[in-house]
PDB file of all heavy atoms in Angstrom:
ATOM      1  N   GLY A 566     -14.322   8.124   6.384  1.00 85.00           N
ATOM      2  CA  GLY A 566     -13.977   7.988   4.974  1.00 85.00           C
ATOM      3  C   GLY A 566     -15.067   7.300   4.181  1.00 85.00           C
ATOM      4  O   GLY A 566     -16.162   7.033   4.678  1.00 85.00           O
ATOM      5  N   ASN A 567     -14.757   7.008   2.934  1.00 91.00           N
ATOM      6  CA  ASN A 567     -15.682   6.328   2.035  1.00 91.00           C
ATOM      7  C   ASN A 567     -15.012   5.073   1.505  1.00 91.00           C
ATOM      8  O   ASN A 567     -13.857   5.121   1.087  1.00 91.00           O
ATOM      9  CB  ASN A 567     -16.060   7.231   0.849  1.00 91.00           C
ATOM     10  CG  ASN A 567     -16.800   8.475   1.301  1.00 91.00           C
ATOM     11  OD1 ASN A 567     -17.703   8.392   2.112  1.00 91.00           O
ATOM     12  ND2 ASN A 567     -16.406   9.624   0.781  1.00 91.00           N
ATOM     13  N   ALA A 568     -15.741   3.973   1.503  1.00 95.00           N
ATOM     14  CA  ALA A 568     -15.191   2.729   0.984  1.00 95.00           C
ATOM     15  C   ALA A 568     -15.108   2.808  -0.535  1.00 95.00           C
ATOM     16  O   ALA A 568     -16.036   3.254  -1.200  1.00 95.00           O
ATOM     17  CB  ALA A 568     -16.064   1.553   1.408  1.00 95.00           C
ATOM     18  N   ALA A 569     -13.974   2.382  -1.064  1.00 95.00           N
ATOM     19  CA  ALA A 569     -13.772   2.362  -2.510  1.00 95.00           C
ATOM     20  C   ALA A 569     -14.043   0.958  -3.025  1.00 95.00           C
ATOM     21  O   ALA A 569     -13.831  -0.017  -2.300  1.00 95.00           O
ATOM     22  CB  ALA A 569     -12.335   2.768  -2.837  1.00 95.00           C
ATOM     23  N   PRO A 570     -14.507   0.826  -4.256  1.00 96.00           N
ATOM     24  CA  PRO A 570     -14.667  -0.517  -4.820  1.00 96.00           C
ATOM     25  C   PRO A 570     -13.319  -1.222  -4.864  1.00 96.00           C
ATOM     26  O   PRO A 570     -12.292  -0.612  -5.185  1.00 96.00           O
ATOM     27  CB  PRO A 570     -15.188  -0.260  -6.235  1.00 96.00           C
ATOM     28  CG  PRO A 570     -15.673   1.153  -6.244  1.00 96.00           C
ATOM     29  CD  PRO A 570     -14.921   1.877  -5.184  1.00 96.00           C
ATOM     30  N   LEU A 571     -13.320  -2.495  -4.522  1.00 95.00           N
ATOM     31  CA  LEU A 571     -12.069  -3.255  -4.467  1.00 95.00           C
ATOM     32  C   LEU A 571     -11.376  -3.290  -5.821  1.00 95.00           C
ATOM     33  O   LEU A 571     -10.153  -3.224  -5.891  1.00 95.00           O
ATOM     34  CB  LEU A 571     -12.355  -4.679  -3.972  1.00 95.00           C
ATOM     35  CG  LEU A 571     -11.160  -5.512  -3.568  1.00 95.00           C
ATOM     36  CD1 LEU A 571     -10.332  -4.815  -2.518  1.00 95.00           C
ATOM     37  CD2 LEU A 571     -11.608  -6.870  -3.075  1.00 95.00           C
ATOM     38  N   ALA A 572     -12.142  -3.372  -6.895  1.00 96.00           N
ATOM     39  CA  ALA A 572     -11.571  -3.443  -8.240  1.00 96.00           C
ATOM     40  C   ALA A 572     -11.373  -2.042  -8.819  1.00 96.00           C
ATOM     41  O   ALA A 572     -11.744  -1.762  -9.952  1.00 96.00           O
ATOM     42  CB  ALA A 572     -12.471  -4.268  -9.143  1.00 96.00           C
ATOM     43  N   SER A 573     -10.779  -1.157  -8.016  1.00 96.00           N
ATOM     44  CA  SER A 573     -10.468   0.195  -8.471  1.00 96.00           C
ATOM     45  C   SER A 573      -9.056   0.533  -8.005  1.00 96.00           C
ATOM     46  O   SER A 573      -8.474  -0.172  -7.184  1.00 96.00           O
ATOM     47  CB  SER A 573     -11.470   1.202  -7.893  1.00 96.00           C
ATOM     48  OG  SER A 573     -11.296   1.330  -6.489  1.00 96.00           O
ATOM     49  N   LEU A 574      -8.532   1.631  -8.515  1.00 95.00           N
ATOM     50  CA  LEU A 574      -7.195   2.058  -8.101  1.00 95.00           C
ATOM     51  C   LEU A 574      -7.157   2.328  -6.594  1.00 95.00           C
ATOM     52  O   LEU A 574      -6.215   1.928  -5.908  1.00 95.00           O
ATOM     53  CB  LEU A 574      -6.782   3.309  -8.887  1.00 95.00           C
ATOM     54  CG  LEU A 574      -5.322   3.694  -8.840  1.00 95.00           C
ATOM     55  CD1 LEU A 574      -4.437   2.551  -9.332  1.00 95.00           C
ATOM     56  CD2 LEU A 574      -5.084   4.931  -9.687  1.00 95.00           C
ATOM     57  N   MET A 575      -8.186   2.970  -6.064  1.00 96.00           N
ATOM     58  CA  MET A 575      -8.243   3.234  -4.625  1.00 96.00           C
ATOM     59  C   MET A 575      -8.440   1.941  -3.836  1.00 96.00           C
ATOM     60  O   MET A 575      -7.908   1.812  -2.732  1.00 96.00           O
ATOM     61  CB  MET A 575      -9.369   4.223  -4.306  1.00 96.00           C
ATOM     62  CG  MET A 575      -9.084   5.622  -4.801  1.00 96.00           C
ATOM     63  SD  MET A 575      -7.593   6.330  -4.102  1.00 96.00           S
ATOM     64  CE  MET A 575      -8.238   6.962  -2.598  1.00 96.00           C
ATOM     65  N   GLY A 576      -9.162   0.985  -4.381  1.00 97.00           N
ATOM     66  CA  GLY A 576      -9.332  -0.300  -3.713  1.00 97.00           C
ATOM     67  C   GLY A 576      -8.020  -1.064  -3.615  1.00 97.00           C
ATOM     68  O   GLY A 576      -7.685  -1.634  -2.569  1.00 97.00           O
ATOM     69  N   ILE A 577      -7.262  -1.062  -4.700  1.00 97.00           N
ATOM     70  CA  ILE A 577      -5.943  -1.715  -4.701  1.00 97.00           C
ATOM     71  C   ILE A 577      -5.015  -0.989  -3.720  1.00 97.00           C
ATOM     72  O   ILE A 577      -4.284  -1.626  -2.961  1.00 97.00           O
ATOM     73  CB  ILE A 577      -5.331  -1.727  -6.115  1.00 97.00           C
ATOM     74  CG1 ILE A 577      -6.235  -2.469  -7.089  1.00 97.00           C
ATOM     75  CG2 ILE A 577      -3.926  -2.313  -6.098  1.00 97.00           C
ATOM     76  CD1 ILE A 577      -6.410  -3.924  -6.821  1.00 97.00           C
ATOM     77  N   ALA A 578      -5.066   0.352  -3.735  1.00 97.00           N
ATOM     78  CA  ALA A 578      -4.251   1.122  -2.795  1.00 97.00           C
ATOM     79  C   ALA A 578      -4.634   0.770  -1.357  1.00 97.00           C
ATOM     80  O   ALA A 578      -3.761   0.610  -0.497  1.00 97.00           O
ATOM     81  CB  ALA A 578      -4.426   2.625  -3.038  1.00 97.00           C
ATOM     82  N   GLY A 579      -5.918   0.617  -1.102  1.00 97.00           N
ATOM     83  CA  GLY A 579      -6.380   0.243   0.229  1.00 97.00           C
ATOM     84  C   GLY A 579      -5.852  -1.120   0.654  1.00 97.00           C
ATOM     85  O   GLY A 579      -5.461  -1.307   1.809  1.00 97.00           O
ATOM     86  N   LEU A 580      -5.827  -2.064  -0.267  1.00 98.00           N
ATOM     87  CA  LEU A 580      -5.276  -3.386   0.045  1.00 98.00           C
ATOM     88  C   LEU A 580      -3.789  -3.309   0.374  1.00 98.00           C
ATOM     89  O   LEU A 580      -3.331  -3.915   1.354  1.00 98.00           O
ATOM     90  CB  LEU A 580      -5.475  -4.336  -1.137  1.00 98.00           C
ATOM     91  CG  LEU A 580      -6.823  -5.004  -1.269  1.00 98.00           C
ATOM     92  CD1 LEU A 580      -6.900  -5.810  -2.562  1.00 98.00           C
ATOM     93  CD2 LEU A 580      -7.104  -5.891  -0.080  1.00 98.00           C
ATOM     94  N   VAL A 581      -3.042  -2.570  -0.446  1.00 98.00           N
ATOM     95  CA  VAL A 581      -1.606  -2.419  -0.194  1.00 98.00           C
ATOM     96  C   VAL A 581      -1.393  -1.755   1.167  1.00 98.00           C
ATOM     97  O   VAL A 581      -0.528  -2.175   1.948  1.00 98.00           O
ATOM     98  CB  VAL A 581      -0.924  -1.615  -1.320  1.00 98.00           C
ATOM     99  CG1 VAL A 581       0.505  -1.238  -0.950  1.00 98.00           C
ATOM    100  CG2 VAL A 581      -0.950  -2.395  -2.621  1.00 98.00           C
ATOM    101  N   GLU A 582      -2.171  -0.740   1.458  1.00 98.00           N
ATOM    102  CA  GLU A 582      -2.009  -0.016   2.723  1.00 98.00           C
ATOM    103  C   GLU A 582      -2.387  -0.882   3.916  1.00 98.00           C
ATOM    104  O   GLU A 582      -1.655  -0.915   4.914  1.00 98.00           O
ATOM    105  CB  GLU A 582      -2.838   1.263   2.706  1.00 98.00           C
ATOM    106  CG  GLU A 582      -2.286   2.287   1.735  1.00 98.00           C
ATOM    107  CD  GLU A 582      -3.240   3.435   1.464  1.00 98.00           C
ATOM    108  OE1 GLU A 582      -4.333   3.497   2.086  1.00 98.00           O
ATOM    109  OE2 GLU A 582      -2.902   4.286   0.624  1.00 98.00           O
ATOM    110  N   LEU A 583      -3.497  -1.585   3.839  1.00 98.00           N
ATOM    111  CA  LEU A 583      -3.939  -2.407   4.968  1.00 98.00           C
ATOM    112  C   LEU A 583      -2.995  -3.581   5.191  1.00 98.00           C
ATOM    113  O   LEU A 583      -2.461  -3.765   6.295  1.00 98.00           O
ATOM    114  CB  LEU A 583      -5.367  -2.906   4.746  1.00 98.00           C
ATOM    115  CG  LEU A 583      -5.928  -3.784   5.863  1.00 98.00           C
ATOM    116  CD1 LEU A 583      -6.018  -3.010   7.177  1.00 98.00           C
ATOM    117  CD2 LEU A 583      -7.291  -4.321   5.477  1.00 98.00           C
ATOM    118  N   ILE A 584      -2.763  -4.362   4.153  1.00 98.00           N
ATOM    119  CA  ILE A 584      -1.915  -5.549   4.301  1.00 98.00           C
ATOM    120  C   ILE A 584      -0.460  -5.143   4.541  1.00 98.00           C
ATOM    121  O   ILE A 584       0.194  -5.665   5.447  1.00 98.00           O
ATOM    122  CB  ILE A 584      -2.056  -6.467   3.077  1.00 98.00           C
ATOM    123  CG1 ILE A 584      -3.482  -7.027   3.006  1.00 98.00           C
ATOM    124  CG2 ILE A 584      -1.042  -7.599   3.121  1.00 98.00           C
ATOM    125  CD1 ILE A 584      -3.838  -7.713   1.711  1.00 98.00           C
ATOM    126  N   GLY A 585       0.035  -4.202   3.744  1.00 98.00           N
ATOM    127  CA  GLY A 585       1.414  -3.752   3.911  1.00 98.00           C
ATOM    128  C   GLY A 585       1.645  -3.125   5.268  1.00 98.00           C
ATOM    129  O   GLY A 585       2.654  -3.391   5.925  1.00 98.00           O
ATOM    130  N   GLY A 586       0.718  -2.312   5.721  1.00 98.00           N
ATOM    131  CA  GLY A 586       0.845  -1.679   7.036  1.00 98.00           C
ATOM    132  C   GLY A 586       0.881  -2.694   8.158  1.00 98.00           C
ATOM    133  O   GLY A 586       1.679  -2.586   9.086  1.00 98.00           O
ATOM    134  N   LEU A 587       0.025  -3.710   8.065  1.00 98.00           N
ATOM    135  CA  LEU A 587       0.027  -4.750   9.095  1.00 98.00           C
ATOM    136  C   LEU A 587       1.314  -5.566   9.063  1.00 98.00           C
ATOM    137  O   LEU A 587       1.869  -5.910  10.117  1.00 98.00           O
ATOM    138  CB  LEU A 587      -1.197  -5.649   8.946  1.00 98.00           C
ATOM    139  CG  LEU A 587      -2.542  -4.985   9.271  1.00 98.00           C
ATOM    140  CD1 LEU A 587      -3.701  -5.929   8.961  1.00 98.00           C
ATOM    141  CD2 LEU A 587      -2.591  -4.517  10.723  1.00 98.00           C
ATOM    142  N   LEU A 588       1.798  -5.888   7.861  1.00 98.00           N
ATOM    143  CA  LEU A 588       3.068  -6.618   7.758  1.00 98.00           C
ATOM    144  C   LEU A 588       4.217  -5.806   8.346  1.00 98.00           C
ATOM    145  O   LEU A 588       5.073  -6.347   9.062  1.00 98.00           O
ATOM    146  CB  LEU A 588       3.365  -6.978   6.304  1.00 98.00           C
ATOM    147  CG  LEU A 588       2.502  -8.070   5.676  1.00 98.00           C
ATOM    148  CD1 LEU A 588       2.802  -8.187   4.184  1.00 98.00           C
ATOM    149  CD2 LEU A 588       2.700  -9.396   6.372  1.00 98.00           C
ATOM    150  N   ILE A 589       4.241  -4.513   8.066  1.00 98.00           N
ATOM    151  CA  ILE A 589       5.285  -3.646   8.607  1.00 98.00           C
ATOM    152  C   ILE A 589       5.160  -3.573  10.131  1.00 98.00           C
ATOM    153  O   ILE A 589       6.156  -3.702  10.850  1.00 98.00           O
ATOM    154  CB  ILE A 589       5.220  -2.243   7.960  1.00 98.00           C
ATOM    155  CG1 ILE A 589       5.612  -2.332   6.481  1.00 98.00           C
ATOM    156  CG2 ILE A 589       6.110  -1.247   8.713  1.00 98.00           C
ATOM    157  CD1 ILE A 589       5.264  -1.108   5.664  1.00 98.00           C
ATOM    158  N   ALA A 590       3.955  -3.385  10.639  1.00 98.00           N
ATOM    159  CA  ALA A 590       3.761  -3.293  12.088  1.00 98.00           C
ATOM    160  C   ALA A 590       4.147  -4.580  12.791  1.00 98.00           C
ATOM    161  O   ALA A 590       4.769  -4.549  13.860  1.00 98.00           O
ATOM    162  CB  ALA A 590       2.301  -2.945  12.395  1.00 98.00           C
ATOM    163  N   LEU A 591       3.809  -5.719  12.206  1.00 98.00           N
ATOM    164  CA  LEU A 591       4.150  -7.016  12.807  1.00 98.00           C
ATOM    165  C   LEU A 591       5.614  -7.371  12.609  1.00 98.00           C
ATOM    166  O   LEU A 591       6.135  -8.246  13.306  1.00 98.00           O
ATOM    167  CB  LEU A 591       3.269  -8.114  12.226  1.00 98.00           C
ATOM    168  CG  LEU A 591       1.791  -8.043  12.583  1.00 98.00           C
ATOM    169  CD1 LEU A 591       0.999  -9.053  11.766  1.00 98.00           C
ATOM    170  CD2 LEU A 591       1.588  -8.265  14.069  1.00 98.00           C
ATOM    171  N   GLY A 592       6.243  -6.728  11.658  1.00 98.00           N
ATOM    172  CA  GLY A 592       7.632  -7.049  11.369  1.00 98.00           C
ATOM    173  C   GLY A 592       7.775  -8.362  10.637  1.00 98.00           C
ATOM    174  O   GLY A 592       8.708  -9.123  10.874  1.00 98.00           O
ATOM    175  N   PHE A 593       6.861  -8.648   9.725  1.00 98.00           N
ATOM    176  CA  PHE A 593       6.898  -9.873   8.931  1.00 98.00           C
ATOM    177  C   PHE A 593       7.060  -9.509   7.464  1.00 98.00           C
ATOM    178  O   PHE A 593       6.262  -8.751   6.927  1.00 98.00           O
ATOM    179  CB  PHE A 593       5.617 -10.682   9.144  1.00 98.00           C
ATOM    180  CG  PHE A 593       5.609 -12.001   8.436  1.00 98.00           C
ATOM    181  CD1 PHE A 593       6.496 -12.995   8.801  1.00 98.00           C
ATOM    182  CD2 PHE A 593       4.725 -12.233   7.402  1.00 98.00           C
ATOM    183  CE1 PHE A 593       6.493 -14.215   8.150  1.00 98.00           C
ATOM    184  CE2 PHE A 593       4.718 -13.451   6.746  1.00 98.00           C
ATOM    185  CZ  PHE A 593       5.607 -14.444   7.118  1.00 98.00           C
ATOM    186  N   LEU A 594       8.111 -10.043   6.834  1.00 98.00           N
ATOM    187  CA  LEU A 594       8.442  -9.674   5.452  1.00 98.00           C
ATOM    188  C   LEU A 594       8.546  -8.153   5.327  1.00 98.00           C
ATOM    189  O   LEU A 594       8.113  -7.554   4.338  1.00 98.00           O
ATOM    190  CB  LEU A 594       7.414 -10.236   4.468  1.00 98.00           C
ATOM    191  CG  LEU A 594       7.217 -11.753   4.473  1.00 98.00           C
ATOM    192  CD1 LEU A 594       6.050 -12.146   3.584  1.00 98.00           C
ATOM    193  CD2 LEU A 594       8.491 -12.469   4.046  1.00 98.00           C
ATOM    194  N   THR A 595       9.119  -7.557   6.327  1.00 98.00           N
ATOM    195  CA  THR A 595       9.116  -6.108   6.490  1.00 98.00           C
ATOM    196  C   THR A 595       9.748  -5.369   5.325  1.00 98.00           C
ATOM    197  O   THR A 595       9.181  -4.393   4.823  1.00 98.00           O
ATOM    198  CB  THR A 595       9.838  -5.727   7.791  1.00 98.00           C
ATOM    199  OG1 THR A 595       9.256  -6.479   8.850  1.00 98.00           O
ATOM    200  CG2 THR A 595       9.714  -4.260   8.080  1.00 98.00           C
ATOM    201  N   SER A 596      10.925  -5.802   4.905  1.00 98.00           N
ATOM    202  CA  SER A 596      11.619  -5.075   3.834  1.00 98.00           C
ATOM    203  C   SER A 596      10.819  -5.080   2.548  1.00 98.00           C
ATOM    204  O   SER A 596      10.731  -4.057   1.862  1.00 98.00           O
ATOM    205  CB  SER A 596      13.006  -5.674   3.601  1.00 98.00           C
ATOM    206  OG  SER A 596      13.844  -5.402   4.698  1.00 98.00           O
ATOM    207  N   TYR A 597      10.205  -6.212   2.217  1.00 98.00           N
ATOM    208  CA  TYR A 597       9.397  -6.291   0.993  1.00 98.00           C
ATOM    209  C   TYR A 597       8.159  -5.414   1.103  1.00 98.00           C
ATOM    210  O   TYR A 597       7.838  -4.651   0.188  1.00 98.00           O
ATOM    211  CB  TYR A 597       8.988  -7.739   0.720  1.00 98.00           C
ATOM    212  CG  TYR A 597      10.156  -8.656   0.492  1.00 98.00           C
ATOM    213  CD1 TYR A 597      10.497  -9.614   1.439  1.00 98.00           C
ATOM    214  CD2 TYR A 597      10.937  -8.573  -0.655  1.00 98.00           C
ATOM    215  CE1 TYR A 597      11.580 -10.468   1.249  1.00 98.00           C
ATOM    216  CE2 TYR A 597      12.018  -9.419  -0.859  1.00 98.00           C
ATOM    217  CZ  TYR A 597      12.327 -10.360   0.088  1.00 98.00           C
ATOM    218  OH  TYR A 597      13.397 -11.196  -0.108  1.00 98.00           O
ATOM    219  N   ALA A 598       7.450  -5.539   2.231  1.00 98.00           N
ATOM    220  CA  ALA A 598       6.229  -4.749   2.421  1.00 98.00           C
ATOM    221  C   ALA A 598       6.532  -3.258   2.415  1.00 98.00           C
ATOM    222  O   ALA A 598       5.797  -2.466   1.802  1.00 98.00           O
ATOM    223  CB  ALA A 598       5.545  -5.159   3.722  1.00 98.00           C
ATOM    224  N   ALA A 599       7.607  -2.867   3.085  1.00 98.00           N
ATOM    225  CA  ALA A 599       7.955  -1.447   3.151  1.00 98.00           C
ATOM    226  C   ALA A 599       8.387  -0.913   1.789  1.00 98.00           C
ATOM    227  O   ALA A 599       8.071   0.234   1.435  1.00 98.00           O
ATOM    228  CB  ALA A 599       9.054  -1.222   4.192  1.00 98.00           C
ATOM    229  N   PHE A 600       9.096  -1.718   1.013  1.00 98.00           N
ATOM    230  CA  PHE A 600       9.511  -1.285  -0.321  1.00 98.00           C
ATOM    231  C   PHE A 600       8.287  -1.060  -1.216  1.00 98.00           C
ATOM    232  O   PHE A 600       8.198  -0.054  -1.932  1.00 98.00           O
ATOM    233  CB  PHE A 600      10.453  -2.306  -0.939  1.00 98.00           C
ATOM    234  CG  PHE A 600      11.036  -1.862  -2.250  1.00 98.00           C
ATOM    235  CD1 PHE A 600      12.024  -0.898  -2.291  1.00 98.00           C
ATOM    236  CD2 PHE A 600      10.589  -2.410  -3.442  1.00 98.00           C
ATOM    237  CE1 PHE A 600      12.557  -0.473  -3.502  1.00 98.00           C
ATOM    238  CE2 PHE A 600      11.109  -1.999  -4.649  1.00 98.00           C
ATOM    239  CZ  PHE A 600      12.101  -1.026  -4.688  1.00 98.00           C
ATOM    240  N   ILE A 601       7.326  -1.973  -1.168  1.00 98.00           N
ATOM    241  CA  ILE A 601       6.095  -1.826  -1.949  1.00 98.00           C
ATOM    242  C   ILE A 601       5.310  -0.610  -1.478  1.00 98.00           C
ATOM    243  O   ILE A 601       4.802   0.181  -2.285  1.00 98.00           O
ATOM    244  CB  ILE A 601       5.263  -3.113  -1.891  1.00 98.00           C
ATOM    245  CG1 ILE A 601       5.990  -4.230  -2.650  1.00 98.00           C
ATOM    246  CG2 ILE A 601       3.854  -2.892  -2.443  1.00 98.00           C
ATOM    247  CD1 ILE A 601       5.426  -5.619  -2.412  1.00 98.00           C
ATOM    248  N   ALA A 602       5.204  -0.432  -0.154  1.00 98.00           N
ATOM    249  CA  ALA A 602       4.488   0.728   0.395  1.00 98.00           C
ATOM    250  C   ALA A 602       5.165   2.030  -0.009  1.00 98.00           C
ATOM    251  O   ALA A 602       4.495   3.015  -0.342  1.00 98.00           O
ATOM    252  CB  ALA A 602       4.400   0.609   1.915  1.00 98.00           C
ATOM    253  N   SER A 603       6.483   2.050  -0.007  1.00 98.00           N
ATOM    254  CA  SER A 603       7.227   3.234  -0.423  1.00 98.00           C
ATOM    255  C   SER A 603       6.916   3.573  -1.883  1.00 98.00           C
ATOM    256  O   SER A 603       6.659   4.731  -2.221  1.00 98.00           O
ATOM    257  CB  SER A 603       8.727   3.000  -0.249  1.00 98.00           C
ATOM    258  OG  SER A 603       9.467   4.078  -0.774  1.00 98.00           O
ATOM    259  N   GLY A 604       6.918   2.562  -2.727  1.00 98.00           N
ATOM    260  CA  GLY A 604       6.593   2.776  -4.134  1.00 98.00           C
ATOM    261  C   GLY A 604       5.178   3.274  -4.327  1.00 98.00           C
ATOM    262  O   GLY A 604       4.923   4.159  -5.149  1.00 98.00           O
ATOM    263  N   GLN A 605       4.254   2.716  -3.553  1.00 98.00           N
ATOM    264  CA  GLN A 605       2.869   3.171  -3.661  1.00 98.00           C
ATOM    265  C   GLN A 605       2.755   4.641  -3.287  1.00 98.00           C
ATOM    266  O   GLN A 605       2.045   5.407  -3.926  1.00 98.00           O
ATOM    267  CB  GLN A 605       1.939   2.347  -2.778  1.00 98.00           C
ATOM    268  CG  GLN A 605       0.508   2.821  -2.913  1.00 98.00           C
ATOM    269  CD  GLN A 605      -0.387   2.398  -1.786  1.00 98.00           C
ATOM    270  OE1 GLN A 605      -0.031   1.550  -0.986  1.00 98.00           O
ATOM    271  NE2 GLN A 605      -1.553   3.000  -1.709  1.00 98.00           N
ATOM    272  N   MET A 606       3.468   5.054  -2.252  1.00 98.00           N
ATOM    273  CA  MET A 606       3.397   6.450  -1.827  1.00 98.00           C
ATOM    274  C   MET A 606       4.045   7.380  -2.853  1.00 98.00           C
ATOM    275  O   MET A 606       3.581   8.499  -3.054  1.00 98.00           O
ATOM    276  CB  MET A 606       4.046   6.631  -0.457  1.00 98.00           C
ATOM    277  CG  MET A 606       3.231   6.057   0.680  1.00 98.00           C
ATOM    278  SD  MET A 606       1.667   6.938   0.967  1.00 98.00           S
ATOM    279  CE  MET A 606       0.520   6.028  -0.054  1.00 98.00           C
ATOM    280  N   ALA A 607       5.083   6.910  -3.525  1.00 98.00           N
ATOM    281  CA  ALA A 607       5.690   7.716  -4.599  1.00 98.00           C
ATOM    282  C   ALA A 607       4.682   7.897  -5.733  1.00 98.00           C
ATOM    283  O   ALA A 607       4.497   9.010  -6.246  1.00 98.00           O
ATOM    284  CB  ALA A 607       6.969   7.056  -5.103  1.00 98.00           C
ATOM    285  N   VAL A 608       4.024   6.816  -6.115  1.00 98.00           N
ATOM    286  CA  VAL A 608       3.004   6.897  -7.171  1.00 98.00           C
ATOM    287  C   VAL A 608       1.862   7.802  -6.732  1.00 98.00           C
ATOM    288  O   VAL A 608       1.386   8.646  -7.505  1.00 98.00           O
ATOM    289  CB  VAL A 608       2.492   5.486  -7.549  1.00 98.00           C
ATOM    290  CG1 VAL A 608       1.262   5.562  -8.437  1.00 98.00           C
ATOM    291  CG2 VAL A 608       3.594   4.692  -8.227  1.00 98.00           C
ATOM    292  N   ALA A 609       1.414   7.651  -5.494  1.00 97.00           N
ATOM    293  CA  ALA A 609       0.319   8.486  -4.984  1.00 97.00           C
ATOM    294  C   ALA A 609       0.696   9.961  -5.047  1.00 97.00           C
ATOM    295  O   ALA A 609      -0.125  10.803  -5.429  1.00 97.00           O
ATOM    296  CB  ALA A 609      -0.020   8.087  -3.549  1.00 97.00           C
ATOM    297  N   TYR A 610       1.941  10.265  -4.674  1.00 98.00           N
ATOM    298  CA  TYR A 610       2.356  11.658  -4.705  1.00 98.00           C
ATOM    299  C   TYR A 610       2.330  12.203  -6.128  1.00 98.00           C
ATOM    300  O   TYR A 610       1.745  13.265  -6.387  1.00 98.00           O
ATOM    301  CB  TYR A 610       3.758  11.853  -4.107  1.00 98.00           C
ATOM    302  CG  TYR A 610       4.188  13.283  -4.205  1.00 98.00           C
ATOM    303  CD1 TYR A 610       3.680  14.228  -3.319  1.00 98.00           C
ATOM    304  CD2 TYR A 610       5.024  13.724  -5.229  1.00 98.00           C
ATOM    305  CE1 TYR A 610       4.020  15.565  -3.437  1.00 98.00           C
ATOM    306  CE2 TYR A 610       5.361  15.057  -5.351  1.00 98.00           C
ATOM    307  CZ  TYR A 610       4.859  15.968  -4.454  1.00 98.00           C
ATOM    308  OH  TYR A 610       5.173  17.296  -4.581  1.00 98.00           O
ATOM    309  N   PHE A 611       2.958  11.491  -7.066  1.00 97.00           N
ATOM    310  CA  PHE A 611       3.057  12.012  -8.422  1.00 97.00           C
ATOM    311  C   PHE A 611       1.733  11.960  -9.176  1.00 97.00           C
ATOM    312  O   PHE A 611       1.497  12.779 -10.054  1.00 97.00           O
ATOM    313  CB  PHE A 611       4.172  11.303  -9.190  1.00 97.00           C
ATOM    314  CG  PHE A 611       5.524  11.737  -8.742  1.00 97.00           C
ATOM    315  CD1 PHE A 611       6.336  10.888  -8.015  1.00 97.00           C
ATOM    316  CD2 PHE A 611       5.990  13.015  -9.012  1.00 97.00           C
ATOM    317  CE1 PHE A 611       7.587  11.296  -7.573  1.00 97.00           C
ATOM    318  CE2 PHE A 611       7.234  13.443  -8.577  1.00 97.00           C
ATOM    319  CZ  PHE A 611       8.035  12.585  -7.854  1.00 97.00           C
ATOM    320  N   LYS A 612       0.865  11.043  -8.817  1.00 96.00           N
ATOM    321  CA  LYS A 612      -0.428  10.944  -9.497  1.00 96.00           C
ATOM    322  C   LYS A 612      -1.462  11.919  -8.920  1.00 96.00           C
ATOM    323  O   LYS A 612      -2.188  12.557  -9.657  1.00 96.00           O
ATOM    324  CB  LYS A 612      -0.946   9.517  -9.417  1.00 96.00           C
ATOM    325  CG  LYS A 612      -2.201   9.264 -10.206  1.00 96.00           C
ATOM    326  CD  LYS A 612      -2.440   7.787 -10.363  1.00 96.00           C
ATOM    327  CE  LYS A 612      -3.704   7.472 -11.098  1.00 96.00           C
ATOM    328  NZ  LYS A 612      -3.845   8.068 -12.392  1.00 96.00           N
ATOM    329  N   ALA A 613      -1.518  12.018  -7.596  1.00 96.00           N
ATOM    330  CA  ALA A 613      -2.583  12.803  -6.974  1.00 96.00           C
ATOM    331  C   ALA A 613      -2.156  14.194  -6.513  1.00 96.00           C
ATOM    332  O   ALA A 613      -2.978  15.110  -6.518  1.00 96.00           O
ATOM    333  CB  ALA A 613      -3.154  12.032  -5.777  1.00 96.00           C
TER     334      ALA A 613
END
């Protein structure tokens, strides 16, 4: 892949995916992380 600038929409998406994915995998604050990740994927679908 290609690294996106952190201060961009793709950079923010990358942060949500990396941090949220790790929180979900570890099972820490899972419901919150999964809800945010779900919303991000809904936005990604309708935007892209």
Side-chain angles (χ1 to χ4, degrees):
N567 297 314
L571 193 55
S573 68
L574 194 57
M575 290 300 275
I577 301 295
L580 278 175
V581 170
E582 291 167 4
L583 180 63
I584 294 168
L587 291 175
L588 289 173
I589 292 166
L591 292 171
F593 184 66
L594 302 173
T595 308
S596 291
Y597 298 109
F600 186 74
I601 291 167
S603 174
Q605 181 199 347
M606 288 292 92
V608 169
Y610 178 77
F611 286 109
K612 186 165 178 55

